[in-house]
């Protein structure tokens, strides 16, 4: 069978593995789903099936939905006999895929709940149902048969002009799940009173000039929510059209892996990517091939869980190389986000001069505030402490307005006041924002979606934090 493979930057690697089965011939390759669609529109191609993997989806959820709708229309017109096989670990993409193509047997989906997908399984999926005769949807030409003056090519052009404008930068209408809770969310309503009391109006403003360059460190004590904050800020920054890279400097825990499982998927096809962070630090200009591209505007570099924290190669990440790496990234990206524990930041304290702002994550309670202030005082020498305090903006995580201190609501402003009193900060210290506590927030990792992408209330909060840090 002739296969069109869409599997991200490691498609060539997967191609070689798939073709070990003599019944599979990979005749076309695309790095992304949208790239494949453009290829199909501009050419008349001969193949039996398209295999789409998660690594081939660099679009956001809405763009993925648009691309899938457009592909379906194109298949009705020009490729009625091909099948689309989608192997995914992402329940959100699974949902969207099923919502759009349900009942159309030209589209198959295989949900895998394993860390690694065996090549033998992918080969089996490729060859499955190859001899099955599918019932086909009526071609689009029949839907416009009343216009007999137009040729088949002209009709296809008309269809694609109307249906695939997303290719040229215009958003399409698309089918999506519709239920009461989502309708409430669109209107800024929520059942969670803690979140609801902090709903902000919808904002449609440009953050800043696209020519700016900012380096932001997201830090905090263990459990303060630095990694979840960094991950959601990265998604929000890229959603604002800002070129963004997220650097995971939490070498011990590497929580960024949990928020971006696509990195692990890429590692499966390219084990060398396990050392992504090391490779990028050694050779900064290789970031485009040694990091994971999450979407059009976002790259992520971290270490795979398979790498031991005692690996000798990690010793290569020294101050000089890390400083050069950050300087390089500043030239390439609008926003450089670095997830870095306080202990690591103190180790590389000379980087403070290169950092524009620090998101200091603190839980919304007195213990966390005191613990954070004491930790910072213990780890930084006086000269570095001055820079740290000047560049810091507290982010109140797990925010719950029911929390009290001396009978007063533990507001962000009160938290800043206590930090100033305990740590000798400037009295004009202001919070960057809050991240409310909710059960939905805790389920981010299991759902595979950052909450800023699924919840309008949280999106507003992360927008505010990002804007204040910039």
């Amino acid at each position: 069978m002739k296969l069109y493979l869409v599997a991200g930057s490691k498609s060539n690697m997967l191609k070689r593995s798939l073709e070990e089965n003599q019944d599979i011939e990979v005749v076309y390759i695309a790095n992304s789903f949208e790239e494949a669609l453009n290829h199909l529109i501009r050419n008349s191609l001969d193949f039996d099936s398209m295999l789409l993997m998660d690594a081939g989806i660099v679009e956001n959820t809405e763009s993925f939905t648009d691309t899938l709708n457009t592909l379906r229309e194109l298949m009705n017109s020009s490729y009625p006999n091909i099948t689309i096989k989608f192997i995914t670990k992402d329940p959100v993409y699974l949902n969207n895929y099923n919502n759009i193509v349900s009942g159309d047997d030209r589209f198959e989906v295989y949900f895998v709940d394993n860390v690694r997908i065996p090549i033998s399984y992918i080969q089996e999926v490729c060859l499955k149902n190859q001899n099955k005769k599918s019932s086909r949807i009526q071609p689009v030409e029949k839907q416009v048969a009343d216009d007999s003056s137009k040729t088949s090519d002209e009709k296809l052009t008309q269809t694609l002009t109307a249906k695939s404008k997303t290719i040229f930068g215009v958003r399409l209408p698309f089918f999506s799940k519709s239920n009461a809770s989502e309708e409430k969310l669109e209107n800024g309503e929520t059942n969670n009173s803690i979140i609801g009391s902090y709903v902000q109006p919808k904002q449609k403003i440009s953050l800043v000039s696209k020519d700016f360059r900012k380096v932001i460190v997201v830090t905090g004590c263990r459990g303060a929510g630095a990694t979840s904050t960094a991950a959601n800020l990265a998604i929000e920054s890229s959603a604002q059209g800002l070129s963004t890279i997220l650097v995971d400097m939490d070498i011990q825990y590497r929580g960024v892996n949990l928020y971006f499982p696509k990195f692990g998927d890429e590692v499966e096809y390219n084990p060398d990517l396990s050392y992504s962070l090391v490779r990028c630090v050694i050779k900064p200009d290789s970031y485009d091939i040694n990091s994971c591209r999450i979407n059009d505007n976002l790259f992520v570099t971290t270490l795979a869980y398979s790498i031991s924290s005692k690996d000798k190669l990690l010793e290569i990440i020294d101050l000089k190389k890390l400083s050069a790496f950050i300087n390089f990234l500043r030239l390439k990206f609008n926003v450089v986000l670095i997830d870095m524990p306080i202990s690591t930041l103190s180790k590389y304290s000379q980087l403070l001069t290169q950092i524009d702002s620090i998101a200091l994550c603190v839980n919304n309670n007195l213990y966390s505030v005191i613990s954070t202030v004491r930790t910072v005082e213990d780890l930084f020498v006086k000269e570095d402490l001055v820079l740290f305090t000047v560049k810091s903006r507290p982010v109140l995580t797990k925010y719950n307005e029911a929390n009290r201190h001396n009978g007063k609501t533990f507001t962000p402003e009160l938290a800043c006041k206590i930090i100033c009193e305990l740590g000798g900060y400037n009295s004009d210290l202001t919070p960057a924002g809050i991240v409310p506590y909710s059960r939905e927030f805790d389920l981010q990792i299991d759902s595979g979606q950052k909450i800023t992408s699924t919840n309008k209330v949280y999106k507003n909060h992360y927008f505010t934090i990002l804007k204040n840090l910039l």
Side-chain angles (χ1 to χ4, degrees), residues 26-281:
V26 179
V27 291
Y28 304 107
I29 285 176
N31 287 337
S32 73
F33 193 22
E34 189 168 350
E35 178 187 325
L37 178 59
N38 277 284
H39 190 205
L40 289 174
I41 289 172
R42 293 184 172 90
N43 301 276
S44 179
L45 307 179
D46 178 25
F47 64 100
D48 301 306
S49 294
M50 175 183 288
L51 175 63
L52 174 64
M53 307 291 290
D54 282 341
I57 302 174
V58 300
E59 305 95 338
N60 58 31
T61 305
E62 291 184 7
S63 296
F64 171 67
T65 308
D66 292 346
T67 304
L68 192 56
N69 271 319
T70 305
L71 175 61
R72 194 179 186 190
E73 294 290 347
L74 181 61
M75 288 169 64
N76 292 342
S77 302
S78 302
Y79 297 92
N81 297 315
I82 67 170
T83 57
I84 308 299
K85 299 171 183 284
F86 181 31
I87 300 178
T88 182
K89 297 179 181 179
D90 191 324
V92 175
Y93 284 130
L94 173 69
N95 239 353
N96 288 349
Y97 190 88
N98 281 333
N99 283 342
I100 295 170
V101 302
S102 179
D104 190 336
D105 62 0
R106 298 171 301 174
F107 291 82
E108 304 169 13
V109 61
Y110 302 86
F111 183 69
V112 181
D113 194 17
N114 295 325
V115 176
R116 298 183 65 87
I117 306 177
I119 292 297
S120 59
Y121 176 80
I122 302 176
Q123 291 171 332
E124 182 183 334
V125 167
C126 290
L127 296 172
K128 191 173 182 179
N129 297 329
Q130 280 307 297
N131 297 320
K132 182 179 177 182
K133 297 293 183 183
S134 305
S135 59
R136 301 303 183 196
I137 294 178
Q138 291 295 323
V140 170
E141 282 81 3
K142 291 189 177 181
Q143 299 173 17
V144 293
D146 56 313
D147 190 354
S148 57
S149 64
K150 293 188 177 182
T151 65
S152 176
D153 285 345
E154 287 172 332
K155 291 169 187 174
L156 173 57
T157 301
Q158 182 186 53
T159 300
L160 292 179
T161 301
K163 298 294 185 180
S164 63
K165 289 183 179 178
T166 183
I167 299 167
F168 307 102
V170 181
R171 247 183 70 184
L172 282 168
F174 60 93
F175 300 103
S176 61
K177 293 182 289 182
S178 177
N179 55 46
S181 63
E182 287 195 352
E183 289 173 2
K184 287 181 178 180
L185 188 58
E186 289 289 339
N187 295 323
E189 300 174 27
T190 174
N191 292 327
N192 188 321
S193 61
I194 296 170
I195 301 176
S197 63
Y198 278 91
V199 174
Q200 301 170 19
K202 291 182 180 179
Q203 303 174 75
K204 286 192 175 182
I205 60 173
S206 177
L207 282 172
V208 277
S209 164
K210 296 295 179 66
D211 296 327
F212 81 111
R213 301 285 185 266
K214 296 288 183 180
V215 176
I216 301 170
V217 165
V218 184
T219 191
C221 293
R222 291 290 177 199
T227 299
S228 62
T229 300
N232 280 284
L233 288 177
I235 291 294
E236 182 58 28
S237 177
S238 67
Q240 293 294 329
L242 305 175
S243 58
T244 307
I245 186 166
L246 174 58
V247 180
D248 185 3
M249 282 298 298
D250 188 351
I251 293 188
Q252 185 175 1
Y253 287 94
R254 308 166 202 173
V256 166
N257 278 266
L258 299 175
Y259 288 92
F260 295 98
K262 186 175 182 179
F263 177 80
D265 294 340
E266 294 274 357
V267 169
E268 289 181 25
Y269 305 123
N270 179 16
D272 289 344
L273 195 63
S274 300
Y275 287 96
S276 169
L277 179 62
V278 174
R279 291 174 177 272
C280 287
V281 170

Side-chain angles (χ1 to χ4, degrees), residues 366 369-371 373-374 377 417-425:
L366 185 60
V369 170
I370 294 174
S371 176
V373 172
R374 296 294 176 243
E377 286 180 340
K417 182 179 178 182
I418 295 172
I419 290 173
C420 291
E421 291 174 353
L422 292 175
Y425 282 59

Side-chain angles (χ1 to χ4, degrees), residues 182-456:
E182 287 195 352
E183 289 173 2
K184 287 181 178 180
L185 188 58
E186 289 289 339
N187 295 323
E189 300 174 27
T190 174
N191 292 327
N192 188 321
S193 61
I194 296 170
I195 301 176
S197 63
Y198 278 91
V199 174
Q200 301 170 19
K202 291 182 180 179
Q203 303 174 75
K204 286 192 175 182
I205 60 173
S206 177
L207 282 172
V208 277
S209 164
K210 296 295 179 66
D211 296 327
F212 81 111
R213 301 285 185 266
K214 296 288 183 180
V215 176
I216 301 170
V217 165
V218 184
T219 191
C221 293
R222 291 290 177 199
T227 299
S228 62
T229 300
N232 280 284
L233 288 177
I235 291 294
E236 182 58 28
S237 177
S238 67
Q240 293 294 329
L242 305 175
S243 58
T244 307
I245 186 166
L246 174 58
V247 180
D248 185 3
M249 282 298 298
D250 188 351
I251 293 188
Q252 185 175 1
Y253 287 94
R254 308 166 202 173
V256 166
N257 278 266
L258 299 175
Y259 288 92
F260 295 98
K262 186 175 182 179
F263 177 80
D265 294 340
E266 294 274 357
V267 169
E268 289 181 25
Y269 305 123
N270 179 16
D272 289 344
L273 195 63
S274 300
Y275 287 96
S276 169
L277 179 62
V278 174
R279 291 174 177 272
C280 287
V281 170
I282 293 174
K283 192 176 180 184
D285 60 356
S286 71
Y287 76 89
D288 55 337
I289 59 173
N290 283 320
S291 61
C292 177
R293 187 169 187 171
I294 304 301
N295 59 45
D296 288 345
N297 295 322
L298 177 59
F299 288 81
V300 167
T301 178
T302 181
L303 295 170
Y305 282 128
S306 58
I307 306 301
S308 169
S309 58
K310 297 179 181 178
D311 194 309
K312 292 292 183 182
L313 275 176
L314 301 186
E315 296 176 6
I316 292 174
I317 305 177
D318 58 23
L319 177 62
K320 184 178 180 180
K321 290 187 178 66
L322 191 56
S323 177
F325 179 47
I326 292 173
N327 279 335
F328 177 85
L329 295 181
R330 184 191 288 275
L331 298 174
K332 294 293 181 179
F333 293 90
N334 295 133
V335 179
V336 180
L337 280 162
I338 306 174
D339 177 19
M340 184 180 287
I342 290 180
S343 56
T344 306
L345 183 55
S346 67
K347 177 183 175 182
Y348 299 112
S349 60
Q350 288 172 273
L351 295 177
L352 287 169
T353 57
Q354 295 175 253
I355 296 167
D356 295 297
S357 57
I358 299 171
L360 180 58
C361 296
V362 184
N363 289 162
N364 177 223
N365 59 68
L366 185 60
Y367 173 80
S368 181
V369 170
I370 294 174
S371 176
T372 301
V373 172
R374 296 294 176 243
T375 299
V376 171
E377 286 180 340
D378 290 343
L379 291 176
F380 290 91
V381 298
K382 186 175 180 180
E383 293 76 13
D384 294 334
L385 189 58
V386 171
L387 267 179
F388 184 92
T389 57
V390 167
K391 297 189 176 187
S392 291
R393 297 287 299 274
V395 175
L396 273 292
T397 57
K398 297 185 180 179
Y399 189 81
N400 185 339
E401 64 181 5
N403 285 356
R404 295 285 190 274
H405 173 62
N406 290 337
K408 298 179 180 178
T409 302
F410 206 94
T411 62
E413 291 72 24
L414 179 57
C416 286
K417 182 179 178 182
I418 295 172
I419 290 173
C420 291
E421 291 174 353
L422 292 175
Y425 282 59
N426 292 328
S427 58
D428 60 351
L429 179 68
T430 56
I434 67 167
V435 180
Y437 176 76
S438 70
R439 176 164 173 72
E440 183 183 355
F441 181 87
D442 286 342
L443 296 176
Q444 285 182 92
I445 294 175
D446 292 337
S447 69
Q449 284 287 95
K450 271 61 67 185
I451 200 166
T452 192
S453 301
T454 61
N455 186 305
K456 293 287 179 69

